[in-house]
Amino acid sequence: MLTKTLITSLLLEGTLVAAFPNIAERLAAQKLVERIAPIAPFPEYPGSPAHALYDSFDASSQLVSTSGDNAYQAPGPGDIRGPCAGLNAAANHGYLPRDGIATSEAINTGLWDAYGLDKTATLFLQTATMFFDGDPLSGRWSIGYHSDLTQSVPIVGDILGNETGICAYGHLKTEGDASITRGDWLAPEMNSNCASYPVFAQELLDLAKNRTGGNITPQVLAEHSSNRKAYSVATNPNYFSPVYAGVAFTFGAHMFAYELLANHSAEYPRGFLTPEVFESFFGYTRDSNDNLVFTYGTERIPDNWYKRAADDAWTLEDILLSTAQQCLSYPSNCEVGGNTGEVNSFSGVDLGDITGGLVNSVTDLSDPARMGCFISQAIQADVPSFLDNVFNGAVLQEVLGMIDTTLIPALQGLGECPNLPAGKSVMQYGSTYPGVKAMMSGTRNPY
Ligand code: HEM
Ligand SMILES: *[C@@H]1O[C@H](CO)[C@@H](O)[C@H](O)[C@H]1NC(C)=O
Ligand SMILES: *[C@@H]1O[C@H](CO)[C@@H](O)[C@H](O)[C@H]1NC(C)=O
Ligand SMILES: *[C@@H]1O[C@H](CO)[C@@H](O)[C@H](O)[C@H]1NC(C)=O
């Protein structure tokens, strides 16, 4: 559990620097080379401070198998892949079901075996995602667009539900705008939220080249995330950033790209992420002119790749800490709201209003404990309104009943949050924005 002391020490640069003098030197050096310095530098090693000191490597337990049952195989007809590089690569190597339909057992064991993502994180992600994008009765959800295979029982009329999956019409639930390389769902162009766009991947590689000489680091990813949000505000009249998908999840994915995809070695026990490893995990190859080419569904775990160590796992607490650290370094990343139908028309919602006073400013969100309760509150407000779009009748009543028995217990990992006020759902606080429409099928609004 996050203590007030830990939080304070993480956030006051002075304390962090006093505790870890080697970081102080690196931060100082970093400030000199940064062209546009963030308000407070994003940490070189985000999450719990213990990661910054981690110094062990064990080749045999960290090598991830890419042979036998775990051999790479591109998806076959009917197999689903989507916006998540990590889930796609896991499915292509049999760490998740190769058909792209996630189950709780597969998520909890597969993401640990392949990447060292801790159970505190997988339990939370699995539960939130099955409520938002899948079937809470069976725990199944699609790692891409809609699939009939997630339903517990075959669809009869529309009474048994029609789950969205994590991309396409799953937009605004888990999937949000300004992703690392995916498009914005309601942008005028480049608007697949399932597929990756080379222009955004190239921007990340260029930024890494400018900042580190080539390797992708958490600081590079944090800056890319800020660039991507600025790009969406400037180009997408319907850009919208809700609490969970926009402030928390998209940034969480930016951190996953380093924390879970970096290669490890005795020399680099805290990981290093080369452009080549990034391209393999993201399904990229090069054409004869050396330009990036994305091929849908071909995300691949490289051979001879070493995951993070078991005693240095990435946890739900790390997700909260790094998401809060984002709000200190890049406050505009943490604004909730969107464009109002024209580019560069971003209008933020009143955080105090949507949270019943839990959070009153973006600065409040640099407190990880408050960030945890902010996310928990948003999920509790969003889930019923989204379930209502997907299910009907007796099935709706049953899945709504599971909020208390199944969802709320899985949110405990976000913090205790006593006397949490009821929050507003994105469908309420976003109702006047063109980027917030509950579309389940058909022509995507507002086009
Ligand atoms: C249950 C677990 C997970 C769920 C539900 C999930 C879901 C998603 C979703 C919905 C997106 C799109 C986010 C956006 O709109 O920006 C995404 C992106 C991403 N995820 Fe995951 N993910 C999970 C686990 C992982 C793991 C284990 C990894 C790494 C090993 C990972 C790496 C990424 C990356 C790098 C992206 C960004 C892709 C891009 O923008 O091009 N995720 N994930
Ligand atoms: C279910 O939703 C998908 C989009 O998520 C849509 O393409 C499909 O037509 C829907 N099916 C039914 C039976 O409504
Ligand atoms: C990288 O640096 C070059 C040269 O200063 C600049 O033109 C380019 O915009 C930078 N790219 C990114 C993504 O920061
Ligand atoms: C990971 O790092 C080790 C040690 O430097 C190296 O031998 C291996 O080739 C790297 N793997 C990849 C996929 O780059």
Side-chain angles (χ1 to χ4, degrees):
M1 216 31 58
L2 299 162
T3 66
K4 201 75 195 164
T5 327
L6 170 63
I7 291 156
T8 312
S9 73
L10 281 165
L11 294 177
L12 297 177
E13 203 193 317
T15 317
L16 185 65
V17 163
F20 306 107
N22 58 326
I23 296 181
E25 275 170 34
R26 293 199 207 122
L27 282 179
Q30 190 68 27
K31 269 184 195 154
L32 295 177
V33 296
E34 266 177 3
R35 200 164 44 93
I36 307 167
I39 288 177
F42 189 77
E44 180 176 5
Y45 295 104
S48 155
H51 297 306
L53 303 172
Y54 191 77
D55 213 16
S56 310
F57 177 70
D58 174 48
S60 65
S61 63
Q62 289 178 241
L63 180 65
V64 172
S65 167
T66 54
S67 61
D69 286 350
N70 298 118
Y72 171 80
Q73 209 180 293
D79 293 345
I80 289 183
R81 300 292 180 265
C84 179
L87 298 175
N88 292 348
N92 288 341
H93 286 273
Y95 287 100
L96 290 179
R98 290 184 187 266
D99 62 4
I101 305 304
T103 64
S104 50
E105 310 82 80
I107 289 293
N108 286 322
T109 58
L111 299 184
W112 172 256
D113 290 345
Y115 304 118
L117 181 62
D118 174 85
K119 279 202 174 53
T120 56
T122 49
L123 173 73
F124 163 73
L125 290 169
Q126 159 65 25
T127 308
T129 312
M130 78 186 188
F131 274 92
F132 275 132
D133 304 309
D135 177 28
L137 298 170
S138 66
R140 288 196 294 267
W141 46 276
S142 158
I143 70 169
Y145 39 83
H146 164 80
S147 163
D148 288 343
L149 297 176
T150 59
Q151 284 141 10
S152 317
V153 253
I155 203 158
V156 177
D158 64 352
I159 62 157
L160 292 176
N162 185 24
E163 299 97 25
T164 56
I166 63 173
C167 61
Y169 297 98
H171 182 56
L172 294 183
K173 301 199 275 186
T174 309
E175 190 282 327
D177 288 339
S179 312
I180 306 180
T181 70
R182 264 66 194 175
D184 290 4
W185 173 244
L186 296 176
E189 50 188 21
M190 295 204 291
N191 54 17
S192 167
N193 60 357
C194 303
S196 180
Y197 289 100
V199 58
F200 301 137
Q202 188 60 54
E203 233 165 67
L204 174 64
L205 296 180
D206 289 347
L207 181 65
K209 190 147 208 138
N210 286 1
R211 294 286 178 263
T212 71
N215 284 352
I216 298 164
T217 65
Q219 290 174 329
V220 165
L221 283 156
E223 188 176 350
H224 180 70
S225 155
S226 162
N227 293 345
R228 293 285 296 113
K229 287 197 170 182
Y231 174 91
S232 286
V233 170
T235 58
N236 175 6
N238 304 308
Y239 170 68
F240 193 82
S241 182
V243 173
Y244 180 55
V247 173
F249 202 96
T250 297
F251 193 79
H254 277 76
M255 292 297 102
F256 279 9
Y258 174 85
E259 300 297 343
L260 302 180
L261 303 183
N263 188 21
H264 292 74
S265 65
E267 196 184 350
Y268 296 102
R270 282 151 278 181
F272 65 110
L273 180 57
T274 60
E276 293 73 24
V277 167
F278 168 85
E279 288 166 32
S280 170
F281 270 117
F282 269 69
Y284 278 94
T285 52
R286 298 271 174 173
D287 69 12
S288 55
N289 296 320
D290 206 31
N291 290 321
L292 288 172
V293 177
F294 173 68
T295 309
Y296 199 97
T298 59
E299 291 82 0
R300 189 167 184 154
I301 302 177
D303 293 336
N304 296 312
W305 178 81
Y306 298 85
K307 67 179 170 183
R308 54 190 306 135
D311 58 351
D312 187 43
W314 194 245
T315 66
L316 184 56
E317 186 172 316
D318 290 320
I319 294 174
L320 287 184
L321 286 168
S322 53
T323 303
Q325 285 161 336
Q326 158 198 223
C327 302
L328 187 64
S329 297
Y330 296 99
S332 63
N333 266 20
C334 297
E335 284 181 50
V336 175
N339 278 342
T340 56
E342 287 168 36
V343 299
N344 293 315
S345 62
F346 187 92
S347 166
V349 304
D350 180 337
L351 289 172
D353 174 54
I354 70 169
T355 66
L358 171 74
V359 169
N360 294 300
S361 71
V362 163
T363 319
D364 286 350
L365 291 173
S366 50
D367 170 353
R370 221 173 311 185
M371 174 61 82
C373 295
F374 180 61
I375 295 171
S376 178
Q377 182 192 55
I379 292 174
Q380 290 178 54
D382 283 346
V383 157
S385 73
F386 281 119
L387 285 176
D388 191 42
N389 289 321
V390 173
F391 297 95
N392 283 299
V395 178
L396 176 62
Q397 291 317 308
E398 196 172 347
V399 294
L400 286 173
M402 289 179 68
I403 291 176
D404 280 342
T405 58
T406 309
L407 178 66
I408 308 264
L411 298 179
Q412 290 301 303
L414 294 170
E416 291 301 327
C417 312
N419 308 316
L420 187 65
K424 290 189 176 168
S425 82
V426 59
M427 290 301 154
Q428 283 178 280
Y429 66 74
S431 62
T432 61
Y433 291 83
V436 180
K437 293 285 180 291
M439 290 293 297
M440 296 306 298
S441 59
T443 312
R444 51 180 108 179
N445 257 353
Y447 299 101

mmCIF file of all heavy atoms in Angstrom, residues 353-383:
data_model
loop_
_atom_site.group_PDB
_atom_site.id
_atom_site.type_symbol
_atom_site.label_atom_id
_atom_site.label_comp_id
_atom_site.label_asym_id
_atom_site.label_seq_id
_atom_site.Cartn_x
_atom_site.Cartn_y
_atom_site.Cartn_z
ATOM 1 N N ASP A 353 -15.857 19.090 -9.919
ATOM 2 C CA ASP A 353 -17.245 18.734 -10.213
ATOM 3 C C ASP A 353 -17.393 17.253 -10.548
ATOM 4 O O ASP A 353 -18.277 16.579 -10.030
ATOM 5 C CB ASP A 353 -17.751 19.608 -11.378
ATOM 6 C CG ASP A 353 -19.135 19.192 -11.823
ATOM 7 O OD1 ASP A 353 -20.032 19.146 -10.959
ATOM 8 O OD2 ASP A 353 -19.311 18.885 -13.022
ATOM 9 N N ILE A 354 -16.516 16.726 -11.400
ATOM 10 C CA ILE A 354 -16.710 15.321 -11.811
ATOM 11 C C ILE A 354 -16.303 14.335 -10.722
ATOM 12 O O ILE A 354 -16.686 13.179 -10.767
ATOM 13 C CB ILE A 354 -15.990 14.983 -13.143
ATOM 14 C CG1 ILE A 354 -14.468 14.955 -13.000
ATOM 15 C CG2 ILE A 354 -16.425 15.951 -14.241
ATOM 16 C CD1 ILE A 354 -13.776 14.372 -14.227
ATOM 17 N N THR A 355 -15.519 14.789 -9.726
ATOM 18 C CA THR A 355 -15.054 13.867 -8.681
ATOM 19 C C THR A 355 -15.693 14.142 -7.329
ATOM 20 O O THR A 355 -15.273 13.555 -6.325
ATOM 21 C CB THR A 355 -13.522 13.947 -8.492
ATOM 22 O OG1 THR A 355 -13.193 15.260 -7.978
ATOM 23 C CG2 THR A 355 -12.775 13.693 -9.785
ATOM 24 N N GLY A 356 -16.676 15.047 -7.279
ATOM 25 C CA GLY A 356 -17.284 15.377 -5.994
ATOM 26 C C GLY A 356 -16.263 15.897 -4.996
ATOM 27 O O GLY A 356 -16.359 15.623 -3.800
ATOM 28 N N GLY A 357 -15.272 16.621 -5.501
ATOM 29 C CA GLY A 357 -14.290 17.251 -4.616
ATOM 30 C C GLY A 357 -13.101 16.376 -4.258
ATOM 31 O O GLY A 357 -12.194 16.809 -3.550
ATOM 32 N N LEU A 358 -13.064 15.133 -4.756
ATOM 33 C CA LEU A 358 -11.902 14.268 -4.474
ATOM 34 C C LEU A 358 -10.627 14.887 -5.044
ATOM 35 O O LEU A 358 -9.562 14.852 -4.431
ATOM 36 C CB LEU A 358 -12.133 12.875 -5.090
ATOM 37 C CG LEU A 358 -10.935 11.918 -5.084
ATOM 38 C CD1 LEU A 358 -10.686 11.388 -3.674
ATOM 39 C CD2 LEU A 358 -11.148 10.763 -6.057
ATOM 40 N N VAL A 359 -10.743 15.412 -6.261
ATOM 41 C CA VAL A 359 -9.595 16.000 -6.962
ATOM 42 C C VAL A 359 -10.039 17.371 -7.450
ATOM 43 O O VAL A 359 -11.091 17.495 -8.077
ATOM 44 C CB VAL A 359 -9.217 15.122 -8.177
ATOM 45 C CG1 VAL A 359 -8.209 15.836 -9.069
ATOM 46 C CG2 VAL A 359 -8.662 13.785 -7.720
ATOM 47 N N ASN A 360 -9.256 18.403 -7.131
ATOM 48 C CA ASN A 360 -9.685 19.741 -7.535
ATOM 49 C C ASN A 360 -8.772 20.401 -8.549
ATOM 50 O O ASN A 360 -9.116 21.432 -9.116
ATOM 51 C CB ASN A 360 -9.842 20.628 -6.301
ATOM 52 C CG ASN A 360 -10.989 20.103 -5.439
ATOM 53 O OD1 ASN A 360 -12.124 20.032 -5.897
ATOM 54 N ND2 ASN A 360 -10.683 19.673 -4.232
ATOM 55 N N SER A 361 -7.623 19.806 -8.782
ATOM 56 C CA SER A 361 -6.717 20.369 -9.780
ATOM 57 C C SER A 361 -5.821 19.263 -10.289
ATOM 58 O O SER A 361 -5.683 18.215 -9.652
ATOM 59 C CB SER A 361 -5.851 21.456 -9.148
ATOM 60 O OG SER A 361 -4.918 20.841 -8.277
ATOM 61 N N VAL A 362 -5.202 19.528 -11.439
ATOM 62 C CA VAL A 362 -4.269 18.561 -12.000
ATOM 63 C C VAL A 362 -3.122 18.302 -11.026
ATOM 64 O O VAL A 362 -2.622 17.177 -10.922
ATOM 65 C CB VAL A 362 -3.783 19.080 -13.372
ATOM 66 C CG1 VAL A 362 -2.544 18.357 -13.815
ATOM 67 C CG2 VAL A 362 -4.878 18.935 -14.410
ATOM 68 N N THR A 363 -2.737 19.327 -10.276
ATOM 69 C CA THR A 363 -1.658 19.158 -9.293
ATOM 70 C C THR A 363 -2.014 18.094 -8.255
ATOM 71 O O THR A 363 -1.151 17.334 -7.820
ATOM 72 C CB THR A 363 -1.404 20.497 -8.560
ATOM 73 O OG1 THR A 363 -1.481 21.542 -9.524
ATOM 74 C CG2 THR A 363 -0.061 20.504 -7.875
ATOM 75 N N ASP A 364 -3.289 18.031 -7.867
ATOM 76 C CA ASP A 364 -3.709 17.003 -6.901
ATOM 77 C C ASP A 364 -3.379 15.597 -7.421
ATOM 78 O O ASP A 364 -3.183 14.673 -6.644
ATOM 79 C CB ASP A 364 -5.230 17.059 -6.672
ATOM 80 C CG ASP A 364 -5.652 18.252 -5.828
ATOM 81 O OD1 ASP A 364 -4.775 18.926 -5.259
ATOM 82 O OD2 ASP A 364 -6.875 18.507 -5.759
ATOM 83 N N LEU A 365 -3.366 15.458 -8.746
ATOM 84 C CA LEU A 365 -3.161 14.124 -9.329
ATOM 85 C C LEU A 365 -1.709 13.679 -9.296
ATOM 86 O O LEU A 365 -1.403 12.545 -9.646
ATOM 87 C CB LEU A 365 -3.686 14.095 -10.772
ATOM 88 C CG LEU A 365 -5.203 14.193 -10.873
ATOM 89 C CD1 LEU A 365 -5.622 14.333 -12.328
ATOM 90 C CD2 LEU A 365 -5.843 12.958 -10.253
ATOM 91 N N SER A 366 -0.801 14.549 -8.871
ATOM 92 C CA SER A 366 0.573 14.066 -8.722
ATOM 93 C C SER A 366 0.752 13.350 -7.377
ATOM 94 O O SER A 366 1.830 12.870 -7.068
ATOM 95 C CB SER A 366 1.588 15.192 -8.919
ATOM 96 O OG SER A 366 1.251 16.299 -8.149
ATOM 97 N N ASP A 367 -0.315 13.239 -6.602
ATOM 98 C CA ASP A 367 -0.327 12.401 -5.405
ATOM 99 C C ASP A 367 -0.845 11.016 -5.818
ATOM 100 O O ASP A 367 -2.003 10.872 -6.207
ATOM 101 C CB ASP A 367 -1.258 13.062 -4.378
ATOM 102 C CG ASP A 367 -1.542 12.178 -3.177
ATOM 103 O OD1 ASP A 367 -1.138 10.992 -3.174
ATOM 104 O OD2 ASP A 367 -2.191 12.674 -2.238
ATOM 105 N N PRO A 368 0.017 9.989 -5.774
ATOM 106 C CA PRO A 368 -0.401 8.664 -6.268
ATOM 107 C C PRO A 368 -1.611 8.091 -5.533
ATOM 108 O O PRO A 368 -2.410 7.368 -6.143
ATOM 109 C CB PRO A 368 0.824 7.777 -6.048
ATOM 110 C CG PRO A 368 1.959 8.705 -5.852
ATOM 111 C CD PRO A 368 1.417 9.992 -5.317
ATOM 112 N N ALA A 369 -1.755 8.392 -4.246
ATOM 113 C CA ALA A 369 -2.907 7.865 -3.505
ATOM 114 C C ALA A 369 -4.194 8.469 -4.069
ATOM 115 O O ALA A 369 -5.201 7.769 -4.262
ATOM 116 C CB ALA A 369 -2.773 8.181 -2.020
ATOM 117 N N ARG A 370 -4.136 9.771 -4.341
ATOM 118 C CA ARG A 370 -5.325 10.402 -4.909
ATOM 119 C C ARG A 370 -5.572 9.911 -6.341
ATOM 120 O O ARG A 370 -6.712 9.727 -6.761
ATOM 121 C CB ARG A 370 -5.181 11.918 -4.872
ATOM 122 C CG ARG A 370 -6.514 12.463 -4.461
ATOM 123 C CD ARG A 370 -6.638 13.872 -4.186
ATOM 124 N NE ARG A 370 -5.685 14.503 -3.306
ATOM 125 C CZ ARG A 370 -5.833 15.765 -2.959
ATOM 126 N NH1 ARG A 370 -6.871 16.452 -3.373
ATOM 127 N NH2 ARG A 370 -4.951 16.342 -2.181
ATOM 128 N N MET A 371 -4.479 9.694 -7.088
ATOM 129 C CA MET A 371 -4.612 9.145 -8.440
ATOM 130 C C MET A 371 -5.330 7.795 -8.393
ATOM 131 O O MET A 371 -6.219 7.514 -9.205
ATOM 132 C CB MET A 371 -3.223 8.999 -9.081
ATOM 133 C CG MET A 371 -3.221 8.311 -10.438
ATOM 134 S SD MET A 371 -4.174 9.169 -11.712
ATOM 135 C CE MET A 371 -2.982 10.401 -12.234
ATOM 136 N N GLY A 372 -4.967 6.946 -7.424
ATOM 137 C CA GLY A 372 -5.591 5.629 -7.313
ATOM 138 C C GLY A 372 -7.091 5.743 -7.079
ATOM 139 O O GLY A 372 -7.891 5.050 -7.724
ATOM 140 N N CYS A 373 -7.482 6.642 -6.185
ATOM 141 C CA CYS A 373 -8.908 6.799 -5.880
ATOM 142 C C CYS A 373 -9.651 7.454 -7.045
ATOM 143 O O CYS A 373 -10.814 7.132 -7.318
ATOM 144 C CB CYS A 373 -9.082 7.604 -4.597
ATOM 145 S SG CYS A 373 -8.422 6.712 -3.157
ATOM 146 N N PHE A 374 -8.974 8.339 -7.741
ATOM 147 C CA PHE A 374 -9.530 8.998 -8.935
ATOM 148 C C PHE A 374 -9.868 7.942 -10.010
ATOM 149 O O PHE A 374 -10.961 7.939 -10.591
ATOM 150 C CB PHE A 374 -8.462 9.969 -9.434
ATOM 151 C CG PHE A 374 -8.762 10.789 -10.657
ATOM 152 C CD1 PHE A 374 -9.832 11.676 -10.677
ATOM 153 C CD2 PHE A 374 -7.906 10.732 -11.761
ATOM 154 C CE1 PHE A 374 -10.046 12.485 -11.804
ATOM 155 C CE2 PHE A 374 -8.117 11.537 -12.878
ATOM 156 C CZ PHE A 374 -9.198 12.413 -12.890
ATOM 157 N N ILE A 375 -8.950 6.998 -10.215
ATOM 158 C CA ILE A 375 -9.176 5.939 -11.208
ATOM 159 C C ILE A 375 -10.295 5.012 -10.744
ATOM 160 O O ILE A 375 -11.197 4.653 -11.507
ATOM 161 C CB ILE A 375 -7.873 5.139 -11.456
ATOM 162 C CG1 ILE A 375 -6.799 6.043 -12.089
ATOM 163 C CG2 ILE A 375 -8.134 3.929 -12.342
ATOM 164 C CD1 ILE A 375 -5.423 5.390 -12.169
ATOM 165 N N SER A 376 -10.251 4.637 -9.468
ATOM 166 C CA SER A 376 -11.264 3.739 -8.930
ATOM 167 C C SER A 376 -12.660 4.366 -9.060
ATOM 168 O O SER A 376 -13.626 3.724 -9.508
ATOM 169 C CB SER A 376 -10.942 3.452 -7.459
ATOM 170 O OG SER A 376 -11.921 2.627 -6.889
ATOM 171 N N GLN A 377 -12.752 5.638 -8.685
ATOM 172 C CA GLN A 377 -14.027 6.349 -8.756
ATOM 173 C C GLN A 377 -14.534 6.401 -10.203
ATOM 174 O O GLN A 377 -15.717 6.171 -10.471
ATOM 175 C CB GLN A 377 -13.818 7.773 -8.222
ATOM 176 C CG GLN A 377 -15.062 8.621 -8.181
ATOM 177 C CD GLN A 377 -14.723 10.086 -7.923
ATOM 178 O OE1 GLN A 377 -13.933 10.681 -8.650
ATOM 179 N NE2 GLN A 377 -15.324 10.659 -6.891
ATOM 180 N N ALA A 378 -13.640 6.686 -11.146
ATOM 181 C CA ALA A 378 -14.049 6.802 -12.551
ATOM 182 C C ALA A 378 -14.553 5.460 -13.087
ATOM 183 O O ALA A 378 -15.560 5.393 -13.798
ATOM 184 C CB ALA A 378 -12.871 7.299 -13.398
ATOM 185 N N ILE A 379 -13.854 4.381 -12.738
ATOM 186 C CA ILE A 379 -14.279 3.065 -13.223
ATOM 187 C C ILE A 379 -15.648 2.716 -12.646
ATOM 188 O O ILE A 379 -16.538 2.236 -13.357
ATOM 189 C CB ILE A 379 -13.218 1.997 -12.881
ATOM 190 C CG1 ILE A 379 -11.945 2.264 -13.702
ATOM 191 C CG2 ILE A 379 -13.752 0.586 -13.146
ATOM 192 C CD1 ILE A 379 -10.770 1.366 -13.344
ATOM 193 N N GLN A 380 -15.849 3.002 -11.366
ATOM 194 C CA GLN A 380 -17.156 2.693 -10.749
ATOM 195 C C GLN A 380 -18.277 3.515 -11.378
ATOM 196 O O GLN A 380 -19.416 3.065 -11.449
ATOM 197 C CB GLN A 380 -17.097 2.953 -9.243
ATOM 198 C CG GLN A 380 -16.225 1.932 -8.530
ATOM 199 C CD GLN A 380 -16.122 2.209 -7.042
ATOM 200 O OE1 GLN A 380 -17.140 2.326 -6.370
ATOM 201 N NE2 GLN A 380 -14.909 2.287 -6.529
ATOM 202 N N ALA A 381 -17.949 4.739 -11.832
ATOM 203 C CA ALA A 381 -18.979 5.563 -12.470
ATOM 204 C C ALA A 381 -19.211 5.142 -13.924
ATOM 205 O O ALA A 381 -20.340 5.158 -14.410
ATOM 206 C CB ALA A 381 -18.572 7.038 -12.411
ATOM 207 N N ASP A 382 -18.131 4.746 -14.624
ATOM 208 C CA ASP A 382 -18.244 4.429 -16.055
ATOM 209 C C ASP A 382 -18.869 3.054 -16.320
ATOM 210 O O ASP A 382 -19.611 2.878 -17.288
ATOM 211 C CB ASP A 382 -16.848 4.433 -16.719
ATOM 212 C CG ASP A 382 -16.321 5.838 -16.992
ATOM 213 O OD1 ASP A 382 -17.120 6.800 -16.929
ATOM 214 O OD2 ASP A 382 -15.109 5.967 -17.258
ATOM 215 N N VAL A 383 -18.518 2.059 -15.494
ATOM 216 C CA VAL A 383 -18.917 0.680 -15.804
ATOM 217 C C VAL A 383 -20.438 0.526 -15.959
ATOM 218 O O VAL A 383 -20.894 -0.033 -16.963
ATOM 219 C CB VAL A 383 -18.309 -0.321 -14.789
ATOM 220 C CG1 VAL A 383 -19.115 -1.605 -14.716
ATOM 221 C CG2 VAL A 383 -16.863 -0.644 -15.183
#
